[in-house]
Amino acid sequence: QAQPASPKHRAPPRERNSARQVAWLKALIRRVSATMAADSSMAVRVLLFGPAREAMDASHVDISISRSDAQAPSVAALRKAVCAACPQLSQLMTSSRFSVDQELVQDEAAIVFDSKSEVALIPPVSGG
């Protein structure tokens, strides 16, 4: 069994929360906050159906969309991001609609979503 160190062999107690440590932590917090603010984008997977799926030759597209002031983006912002990222869908976008969590979106400016939402692009359908 180890014997406790004698008092003369113990390390002197460290100064806790010294001014230098506090300054270093504050600087670190500022850097992390600035990095988080600069990287205020999120990825969203958009499911594709029908002609949209055929145009992209994929069942989904992953879109990076920016968030303003850490707010969730709107479907209207997503529409712009999809148009920019997927020019193959440009002809379909004017007549296509979005759904969020299996609900057809009526007001794209009012509806927001997060990275966990199920988002789909619903192209126009025909038939009976």
Side-chain angles (χ1 to χ4, degrees):
Q1 291 183 357
Q3 296 292 326
S6 64
K8 66 180 180 179
H9 292 105
R10 285 188 187 157
R14 281 200 236 167
E15 195 176 309
R16 293 183 187 202
N17 295 331
S18 71
R20 188 168 51 163
Q21 288 173 322
V22 170
W24 181 84
L25 284 173
K26 285 181 179 179
L28 178 64
I29 290 169
R30 280 193 300 273
R31 283 193 306 262
V32 168
S33 296
T35 301
M36 289 174 67
D39 185 27
S40 62
S41 65
M42 70 177 222
V44 62
R45 178 163 285 183
V46 179
L47 304 177
L48 303 174
F49 298 96
R53 180 184 287 230
E54 291 170 10
M56 294 300 296
D57 195 27
S59 62
H60 66 274
V61 290
D62 293 323
I63 303 293
S64 179
I65 187 166
S66 62
R67 292 185 275 184
S68 59
D69 301 325
Q71 247 184 317
S74 69
V75 174
L78 176 62
R79 179 178 290 277
K80 290 178 185 175
V82 169
C83 287
C86 305
Q88 305 92 315
L89 297 176
S90 61
Q91 289 183 330
L92 291 172
M93 290 303 289
T94 56
S95 56
S96 295
R97 299 186 55 194
F98 283 94
S99 71
V100 174
D101 294 328
Q102 300 183 4
E103 295 282 332
L104 204 56
V105 173
Q106 301 296 328
D107 183 359
E108 290 186 1
I111 303 297
V112 296
F113 59 92
D114 60 31
S115 61
K116 296 176 186 165
S117 299
E118 180 186 84
V119 180
L121 178 64
I122 311 294
V125 294
S126 63

